[in-house]
């Protein structure tokens, strides 16, 4: 048997998604950092000159053409040096360095984030200019136009790289559809071991909880494969196939219809009506309940195919006592569902589909069949359980089948006396619940149910 289970494929995908988000968050910060480095470079070019710095010999100060600043911003030509006291800025929109004489009023700062302004404070020497230019060269922001533009472009390149990274990442990520395709193939592979097949089924079960995935299972041919597996000769495959089927049809009308057409109902009833290991029956019952829920067409066929007899025999059979409450729950849900639909019909604006649903539910005549097949007698058997939640289910079910069973219950003195005894028990439990400050406690609720049943028997 499986003791370990691989990470469901979606989990690993989710991990990849998380790292993708981190990449997206980090990269723009990286871009911003680079922009700051560039501006810092412009701002600090003349600050803190280190006398020990080796002067690059190919930059002779005598070769430098010196820029003549005016009151207007002018572009610096390649190789031009700037006199001390000039305002220098790098226009990040054009990529050009610009300089002018300082204004008498203070330069505005921070109003235009694209313009970086620097003030050269000390007097200007050839040595300082050389240093400044050397630094500029080292930082690849030379005063050459093309290079400055390249520098600007370099700030955007990471964005292109980011895009490419995203494409690569999404190419690496398996979509749920791809994962399911792989799992269906793995399951359908005649070379695969039993264990591999079970693993594939467990992973599929995880994925088909999503409505879209369950519908993709149909188009992949996986649903029919699963239905066919219900009568496999391997109980462990039957069990897990029923598990996948039950999850796929849950709250998914399209898959319910498809499963009906694929013959799932007959196969599930066959599993429940024949000698099978308990885990197989348990999952088959789960799949049956999911297939029938909110699907009157399937409920009708369930009754026509003798489904109720199958469940009656299952309830009575030795060895499947643990399934009894599930069987009763399934029947109880069917009755309540029909009642709710009929009630909502009273206040809802009647439309064609609602009329059709009402018509379909009207053909699901479960209640009279229940009393015919001895369920008036069977349901109270659940009361004998010492478990409160099982008794709760029994009490609620007795109330639901009261109409066809009332005469039967009135003659059953054993039922009345048993109900009286648990009434005393729950009175005491509800009392202590209230003493602990719980006014609407669970035992109070059970007591109300017992009293409601007793009231209907009088
Ligand atoms: C399963 O395998 C059989 C035989 O290899 C193939 O004919 C069939 O199409 C496969 N079914 C699916 C759903 O992949
Ligand atoms: C399962 O049922 C189908 C159709 O009812 C049948 O063709 C197939 O042989 C059965 N498989 C087993 C293992 O009984």
């Amino acid at each position: 048997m499986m003791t370990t289970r691989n990470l469901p494929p979606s989990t690993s995908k989710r991990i990849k998604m998380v790292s993708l988000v981190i990449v997206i968050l980090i990269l723009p910060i990286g871009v911003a950092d680079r922009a700051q480095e560039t501006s810092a470079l412009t701002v600090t070019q003349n600050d803190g000159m280190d006398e020990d710095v080796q002067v690059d010999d190919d930059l002779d100060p005598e070769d430098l053409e010196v820029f003549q600043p005016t009151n207007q911003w002018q572009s610096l030509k390649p190789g031009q040096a700037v006199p001390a006291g000039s305002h220098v800025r790098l226009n990040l929109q054009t990529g050009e360095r610009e300089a002018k004489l300082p204004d008498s009023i203070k330069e505005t700062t921070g109003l235009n984030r694209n313009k970086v302004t620097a003030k050269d404070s000390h007097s200007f020497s050839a040595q300082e200019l050389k240093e400044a230019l050397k630094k500029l060269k080292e930082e690849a922001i030379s005063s050459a136009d093309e290079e400055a533009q390249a520098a600007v472009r370099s700030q955007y390149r990471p964005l292109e790289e980011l895009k490419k990274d995203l494409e690569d990442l999404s190419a690496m990520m398996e979509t749920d559809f791809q994962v399911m395709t792989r799992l269906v193939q793995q399951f359908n592979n005649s070379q695969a071991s039993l264990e591999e097949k079970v693993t594939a089924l467990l992973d599929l079960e995880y994925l088909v909880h999503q409505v879209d995935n369950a519908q993709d299972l149909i188009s992949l041919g996986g649903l029919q494969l699963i239905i066919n597996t219900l009568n496999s000769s391997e109980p462990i495959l039957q069990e897990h196939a029923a598990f996948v089927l039950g999850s796929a049809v849950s709250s998914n009308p399209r898959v319910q219809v498809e499963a009906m057409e694929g013959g799932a109902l007959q196969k599930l009833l066959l599993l429940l009506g024949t000698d099978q290991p308990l885990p197989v029956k348990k999952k088959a019952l789960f799949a049956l309940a999911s297939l029938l829920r909110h699907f009157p067409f399937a409920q009708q066929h369930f009754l026509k195919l003798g489904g109720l007899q199958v469940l009656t025999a299952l309830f009575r059979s030795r060895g499947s006592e643990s399934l009894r409450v599930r069987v009763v729950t399934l029947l109880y849900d069917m009755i309540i569902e029909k009642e709710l639909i009929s009630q909502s019909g009273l206040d809802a604006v009647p439309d064609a589909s609602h009329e059709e649903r009402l018509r379909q539910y009207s053909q699901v005549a479960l209640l009279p069949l229940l009393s015919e097949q001895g369920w008036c007698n069977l349901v109270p058997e659940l009361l004998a359980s010492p478990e409160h939640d099982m008794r709760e289910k029994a009490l609620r079910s007795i109330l639901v089948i009261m109409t066809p069973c009332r005469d039967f219950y009135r003659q059953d003195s054993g039922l009345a006396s048993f109900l009286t005894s648990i009434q005393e028990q729950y009175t005491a439990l509800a009392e202590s619940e209230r003493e602990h400050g719980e006014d609407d406690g669970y035992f109070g609720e059970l007591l109300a149910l017992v009293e409601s049943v007793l009231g209907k028997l009088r």
Side-chain angles (χ1 to χ4, degrees):
M1 280 284 290
M2 308 291 113
T3 47
T4 56
R5 187 179 155 186
N6 294 338
L7 265 188
S10 309
T11 307
S12 62
K13 191 180 144 194
R14 243 167 255 140
I15 292 168
K16 282 180 204 156
M17 286 287 275
V18 169
S19 44
L20 180 63
V21 171
I22 291 169
V23 169
I24 292 169
L25 289 178
I26 288 173
L27 280 182
I29 295 168
V31 171
D33 281 346
R34 248 162 283 199
Q36 269 176 6
E37 280 162 24
T38 311
S39 44
L41 183 153
T42 322
V43 171
T44 61
Q45 58 182 294
N46 281 351
D47 288 343
M49 285 302 162
D50 190 342
E51 298 300 325
D52 297 336
V53 168
Q54 284 291 308
V55 173
D56 202 340
D57 282 338
D58 61 7
L59 259 186
D60 193 335
E62 269 69 39
D63 297 342
L64 295 175
E65 184 193 338
V66 176
F67 175 77
Q68 293 303 320
T70 68
N71 288 326
Q72 300 299 313
W73 286 112
Q74 295 176 75
S75 295
L76 290 172
K77 294 204 181 69
Q80 274 186 328
V82 186
S86 307
H87 286 192
V88 181
R89 70 182 187 186
L90 177 64
N91 186 330
L92 293 184
Q93 281 169 340
T94 63
E96 287 178 347
R97 285 174 79 237
E98 298 170 340
K100 70 179 189 87
L101 288 173
D103 291 339
S104 48
I105 40 165
K106 259 196 151 207
E107 281 288 335
T108 52
T109 53
L111 283 181
N112 189 342
R113 280 162 176 265
N114 280 345
K115 307 241 167 107
V116 184
T117 308
K119 283 183 186 173
D120 298 353
S121 48
H122 29 120
S123 64
F124 143 96
S125 71
Q127 176 67 18
E128 284 171 346
L129 268 179
K130 266 174 95 173
E131 281 299 328
L133 286 166
K134 175 167 173 274
K135 267 201 171 174
L136 281 176
K137 270 212 156 172
E138 281 169 357
E139 298 290 349
I141 308 271
S142 98
S143 50
D145 283 358
E146 302 91 78
E147 283 183 46
Q149 273 164 13
V152 171
R153 273 199 304 277
S154 78
Q155 293 175 359
Y156 295 95
R157 202 167 57 222
L159 286 175
E160 282 159 22
E161 282 167 12
L162 171 63
K163 268 199 210 157
K164 194 177 167 300
D165 284 351
L166 286 176
E167 278 162 18
D168 290 350
L169 266 174
S170 58
M172 272 159 53
M173 269 167 45
E174 256 185 320
T175 63
D176 279 2
F177 186 81
Q178 288 166 328
V179 175
M180 295 216 308
T181 308
R182 182 166 54 73
L183 292 172
V184 168
Q185 279 166 3
Q186 180 181 334
F187 177 69
N188 193 32
N189 182 356
S190 53
Q191 310 289 309
S193 69
L194 204 53
E195 189 161 342
E196 284 167 335
K197 289 186 176 198
V198 171
T199 305
L201 288 176
L202 281 168
D203 283 349
L204 279 173
E205 192 279 326
Y206 179 88
L207 286 165
V208 296
H209 284 269
Q210 278 184 40
V211 171
D212 292 352
N213 288 344
Q215 295 180 357
D216 285 342
L217 187 66
I218 299 172
S219 58
L220 285 170
L223 187 70
Q224 194 59 56
L225 214 54
I226 299 289
I227 293 170
N228 295 344
T229 307
L230 291 175
N231 71 331
S232 149
S233 49
E234 293 288 350
I236 194 163
L237 292 185
Q238 294 177 298
E239 175 194 342
H240 288 91
F243 191 25
V244 177
L245 176 66
S247 299
V249 293
S250 279
S251 313
N252 204 329
R254 234 189 93 197
V255 186
Q256 283 179 314
V257 169
E258 201 73 26
M260 277 299 285
E261 285 176 358
L265 182 60
Q266 289 88 334
K267 286 197 158 70
L268 289 173
L269 290 178
L270 195 66
L271 284 185
L272 292 168
T274 52
D275 196 19
Q276 305 287 344
L278 192 63
V280 175
K281 293 209 175 197
K282 195 170 151 185
K283 289 292 193 285
L285 197 54
F286 159 68
L288 178 67
S290 306
L291 182 60
L292 297 181
R293 196 168 302 129
H294 300 303
F295 193 16
F297 174 81
Q299 295 177 10
Q300 244 171 279
H301 281 262
F302 163 78
L303 294 180
K304 272 190 202 149
L305 289 169
L308 188 57
Q309 287 90 329
V310 169
L311 292 190
T312 308
L314 182 63
F315 187 95
R316 289 187 158 143
S317 72
R318 284 185 159 273
S320 51
E321 286 81 3
S322 61
L323 298 180
R324 287 176 148 204
V325 70
R326 291 167 196 262
V327 170
V328 169
T329 301
L330 187 157
L331 298 172
Y332 172 85
D333 287 347
M334 268 173 78
I335 294 167
I336 291 290
E337 188 183 303
K338 182 177 172 178
E339 274 183 13
L340 289 178
I341 288 285
S342 321
Q343 283 168 15
S344 75
L346 298 176
D347 41 41
V349 183
D351 63 10
S353 74
H354 186 77
E355 294 291 314
E356 174 58 18
R357 284 177 79 75
L358 279 182
R359 196 190 61 75
Q360 290 188 1
Y361 275 108
S362 73
Q363 294 177 6
V364 183
L366 180 58
L367 267 182
L369 282 177
L370 280 174
S371 58
E372 267 173 40
Q373 296 190 20
W375 281 88
C376 297
N377 208 5
L378 291 179
V379 174
E381 285 185 22
L382 284 183
L383 280 177
S385 164
E387 290 170 37
H388 299 299
D389 58 346
M390 205 165 294
R391 285 183 183 171
E392 182 199 345
K393 183 57 73 183
L395 290 165
R396 291 189 189 280
S397 303
I398 289 171
L399 284 172
V400 151
I401 57 173
M402 187 55 87
T403 308
C405 298
R406 193 193 303 260
D407 289 343
F408 180 86
Y409 288 151
R410 279 188 172 151
Q411 289 158 18
D412 187 346
S413 58
L415 177 64
S417 63
F418 184 76
L419 287 171
T420 310
S421 76
I422 60 172
Q423 181 187 25
E424 283 165 23
Q425 187 191 353
Y426 287 129
T427 303
L429 287 168
E431 184 70 27
S432 84
E433 217 171 37
R434 270 195 300 279
E435 279 164 16
H436 289 87
E438 266 191 88
D439 284 340
D440 307 313
Y442 183 56
F443 293 123
E445 200 180 311
L446 282 177
L447 179 61
L449 282 173
V450 174
E451 287 174 345
S452 175
V453 174
L454 279 170
K456 291 201 157 45
L457 294 187
R458 277 179 207 124

